Amino acid sequence: MKKIEWIVSDLDGTLLNDQKQVSKKNQKAIQWLFEHDIDFGIVSGRPTKTIYETLDSWHIKPYVRFIVGMNGAAFMDISTQEITYAPSLSLDVIQKILNHFKGWDVCFQILDEKIRYTDRSTASSIRYTTKCHEREVVTDLIEYSKNHRVLKLMIYCDPEIMEQVRNHTNTLKEDQFSAIQTDDCMLEFMSSDIHKGSGLLKAGKQLHLDLNTCLSLGDADNDVSMFDVTGYSFCVLNGTKLAKEKAKYILPYTNEEDIIDKIVRKYI
């Protein structure tokens, strides 16, 4: 394996354990990377500002160089704390998606930092949102979208109907947006040219980092675009079928087994 100059990792299901924390071994491994001039970045579906504000509680803030949030739609250089955003979904597109699922037993959500604006809440959706350390606010999503940037529109549903939701999504003949499953209960709509891979390309260009020397870590379908643009790609053992198929390497460890520590010890 050629020299690895930077490492990027997804959060949920990868860097974070099931308690949504960074293990002590991973903390020390990320610090080790920093001390040996190997850049470390986070690429996640979570909002960029929220991730930045949580770095202290994970004890890794001094060692993270950048954050790509909202599945590639937002980028922050930690040194400046400035966030740049990709194009948002248009009001027409949002209305079309909502109409397409009219009558379906799903919850539409728009994430703005730690608040999920939603057309309806259920006991199940609230449990999921709380687990993500966020809260739900029921509102008219069309009215909300008229006055706010919408980087992604999300569907929360019972995992048992996710396949039906995905199949129904595929009947939408639209090239302005793409949809990707990010959890067994979450489907996310974004502008068609925005994904983790595009966000990582922007990070590499802005920070003058060669993607051929980058090692990416992930677990879900939305990490595949990141795998496609990096020299080395690893999927954790708990990853999805598609993520495992697209990654160059499948790790014999889950997100509960100190992934960054294992990477540093074996591959760096």
Side-chain angles (χ1 to χ4, degrees):
M1 186 174 288
K2 296 180 181 178
K3 183 180 179 182
I4 293 169
E5 297 181 347
W6 53 311
I7 293 177
V8 297
S9 178
D10 169 55
L11 285 177
D12 300 285
T14 307
L15 175 60
L16 302 183
N17 57 29
D18 291 346
Q19 289 69 49
K20 303 298 182 182
Q21 298 297 319
V22 178
S23 71
K24 289 185 178 181
K25 285 188 176 182
N26 278 343
Q27 292 170 14
K28 291 181 179 179
I30 294 169
Q31 180 179 352
W32 185 93
L33 293 172
F34 175 81
E35 293 171 347
H36 288 77
D37 298 320
I38 298 174
D39 291 313
F40 182 78
I42 291 172
V43 185
S44 172
R46 295 191 185 197
T48 305
K49 185 177 179 181
T50 298
I51 296 170
Y52 178 75
E53 292 174 347
T54 313
L55 293 179
D56 276 328
S57 67
W58 290 331
H59 306 291
I60 58 173
K61 188 174 184 179
Y63 316 120
V64 177
R65 184 168 185 190
F66 68 89
I67 299 168
V68 174
M70 301 296 280
N71 285 327
F75 169 78
M76 175 192 281
D77 181 343
I78 298 293
S79 65
T80 64
Q81 298 178 35
E82 293 182 359
I83 303 176
T84 55
Y85 296 97
S88 58
L89 290 172
S90 71
L91 187 62
D92 287 344
V93 165
I94 294 170
Q95 183 71 74
K96 182 177 292 187
I97 297 170
L98 294 177
N99 289 342
H100 192 67
F101 282 91
K102 188 174 182 179
W104 280 66
D105 186 19
V106 300
C107 302
F108 276 98
Q109 302 175 338
I110 296 173
L111 181 59
D112 183 5
E113 299 307 334
K114 295 184 179 181
I115 299 177
R116 292 183 185 234
Y117 293 96
T118 180
D119 60 342
R120 59 189 283 260
S121 287
T122 65
S124 176
S125 72
I126 291 173
R127 282 195 299 271
Y128 184 86
T129 299
T130 302
K131 182 180 179 181
C132 295
H133 305 288
E134 297 158 359
R135 64 186 179 92
E136 295 185 5
V137 174
V138 177
T139 191
D140 184 320
L141 295 183
I142 293 299
E143 290 302 315
Y144 175 89
S145 302
K146 289 178 180 178
N147 301 301
H148 297 83
R149 178 191 294 116
V150 179
L151 296 174
K152 63 179 180 180
L153 178 66
M154 308 182 296
I155 284 180
Y156 172 87
C157 67
D158 188 313
E160 293 183 358
I161 69 167
M162 176 55 78
E163 184 176 358
Q164 298 173 48
V165 169
R166 292 184 63 163
N167 289 338
H168 191 59
T169 298
N170 292 336
T171 65
L172 264 171
K173 304 301 181 183
E174 180 63 61
D175 58 5
Q176 295 183 57
F177 63 84
S178 59
I180 192 163
Q181 184 176 343
T182 58
D183 206 338
D184 62 357
C185 59
M186 295 297 303
L187 187 73
E188 302 185 358
F189 297 87
M190 300 184 66
S191 294
S192 56
D193 56 346
I194 303 302
H195 43 71
K196 286 189 175 183
S198 65
L200 201 49
L201 286 168
K202 181 175 182 178
K205 183 177 181 179
Q206 188 156 329
L207 300 174
H208 307 290
L209 296 169
D210 183 357
L211 283 160
N212 290 319
T213 66
C214 180
L215 186 156
S216 59
L217 293 163
D219 74 304
D221 292 8
N222 64 331
D223 294 315
V224 169
S225 61
M226 180 170 66
F227 295 164
D228 288 342
V229 300
T230 54
Y232 308 96
S233 54
F234 289 74
C235 181
V236 292
L237 189 60
N238 53 285
T240 64
K241 179 181 178 182
L242 180 63
K244 289 178 178 178
E245 290 175 352
K246 297 298 184 179
K248 293 183 176 69
Y249 306 93
I250 300 173
L251 290 166
Y253 312 107
T254 72
N255 63 309
E256 288 284 282
E257 299 177 89
D258 311 308
I259 292 297
I260 305 299
D261 177 72
K262 297 290 196 307
I263 288 287
V264 166
R265 291 179 183 276
K266 188 169 182 178
Y267 299 100
I268 306 300

